[in-house]
Amino acid sequence: MINLANSTRTKQASVAIIGRGKTRKYFQYRAGLHVWAFNDNAMTIPPEQLSGVFEVHPDWDTRYNGIIGCEGYVEWLQQGHAFPIYMLVRDNRIPNSIRYPYPIQAGELFTSTTPYAIALAIHLGYRTIELYGIEADPGVEYAGSRDAIYYWLGRAIGAGLEIKVHEECELLKAPLYPFGYDKTPEEQIEIAQKNIASWTRYKESAERKINR
């Protein structure tokens, strides 16, 4: 793990934020560690290890229909759990749901669930944030989340938190400016193709939402 900043806070324990990316495999639970997960990914973590789950999508009861790997998630949400389920608006159908407690301010960036988790970790006084599987890989749809993630990581560091990210995490990878300077022409073409594919998926996703 790479430490992006040294901690000066001592209020709360460390929290691990778990995503689906390739560095998820480096997560190892230990006693005293708080663990947060997102959406249906939470079902892949032993419930006794979870400290919180984020479900910020208002259409949670329909958006996962027919998605492979999400079977049973909606029913799982509506069961009783020993941890809170953070939502933008509390839903009585989800017994453990609570309204997201961080007071969002105008101008703050929230483009995916990860920024909500980082912001809450700052708000609750954690001294360390560990990221596993939070990649925002430029070659996939979540690339659009990078700016907001960097924004909140900067806020966390400024607040004195220690940030731990595995060295293989895509968040730590970016082309050398001027872009492509350190790449061969073939590699530059490959990067351009990935960027085109990524934004094409974003466009298609936006069109599907418009046409619902």
Side-chain angles (χ1 to χ4, degrees):
M1 299 290 284
I2 295 175
N3 293 348
L4 300 186
N6 292 323
S7 174
T8 58
R9 293 153 62 103
T10 58
K11 292 182 181 179
Q12 294 287 345
S14 300
V15 61
I17 301 174
I18 312 297
R20 302 177 184 273
K22 62 183 182 182
T23 56
R24 158 76 183 268
K25 62 186 177 184
Y26 296 109
F27 169 69
Q28 292 185 338
Y29 180 76
R30 61 184 186 274
L33 178 66
H34 292 187
V35 178
W36 290 348
F38 308 151
N39 313 328
D40 59 288
N41 190 43
M43 295 193 299
T44 68
I45 299 173
E48 64 272 15
Q49 295 181 7
L50 283 169
S51 305
V53 172
F54 289 75
E55 178 49 81
V56 299
H57 303 98
D59 59 343
W60 62 270
D61 54 346
T62 59
R63 72 178 286 118
Y64 302 98
N65 293 346
I67 299 178
I68 296 175
C70 296
E71 298 88 352
Y73 172 60
V74 170
E75 293 76 16
W76 182 87
L77 279 176
Q78 297 177 81
Q79 298 171 4
H81 298 287
F83 45 80
I85 297 175
Y86 297 110
M87 307 183 73
L88 296 186
V89 178
R90 189 185 186 284
D91 194 312
N92 290 331
R93 293 172 293 174
I94 300 179
N96 288 85
S97 69
I98 65 171
R99 182 176 179 178
Y100 179 70
Y102 173 73
I104 298 173
Q105 304 296 316
E108 293 180 331
L109 302 180
F110 293 93
T111 57
S112 67
T113 305
T114 301
Y116 284 100
I118 298 173
L120 186 59
I122 300 170
H123 180 66
L124 294 181
Y126 283 94
R127 64 175 182 270
T128 303
I129 296 174
E130 302 177 18
L131 301 180
Y132 299 93
I134 306 295
E135 312 293 334
D137 187 340
V140 299
E141 182 177 356
Y142 292 108
S145 304
R146 290 172 74 92
D147 289 348
I149 293 173
Y150 291 143
Y151 168 82
W152 281 105
L153 288 176
R155 289 274 298 263
I157 292 171
L161 280 76
E162 179 181 22
I163 309 297
K164 294 184 177 181
V165 183
H166 193 274
E167 60 185 7
E168 294 182 9
C169 181
E170 293 294 331
L171 288 174
L172 301 178
K173 299 179 182 180
L176 180 66
Y177 183 85
F179 303 122
Y181 180 82
D182 58 338
K183 305 295 182 182
T184 66
E186 292 77 13
E187 290 172 329
Q188 292 176 15
I189 292 173
E190 183 180 358
I191 291 172
Q193 290 173 337
K194 287 183 178 180
N195 287 336
I196 291 171
S198 174
W199 287 110
T200 299
R201 285 192 290 271
Y202 261 111
K203 175 177 176 291
E204 293 172 348
S205 175
E207 289 174 341
R208 286 194 297 270
K209 293 177 181 178
I210 292 173
N211 295 325
R212 281 179 180 173

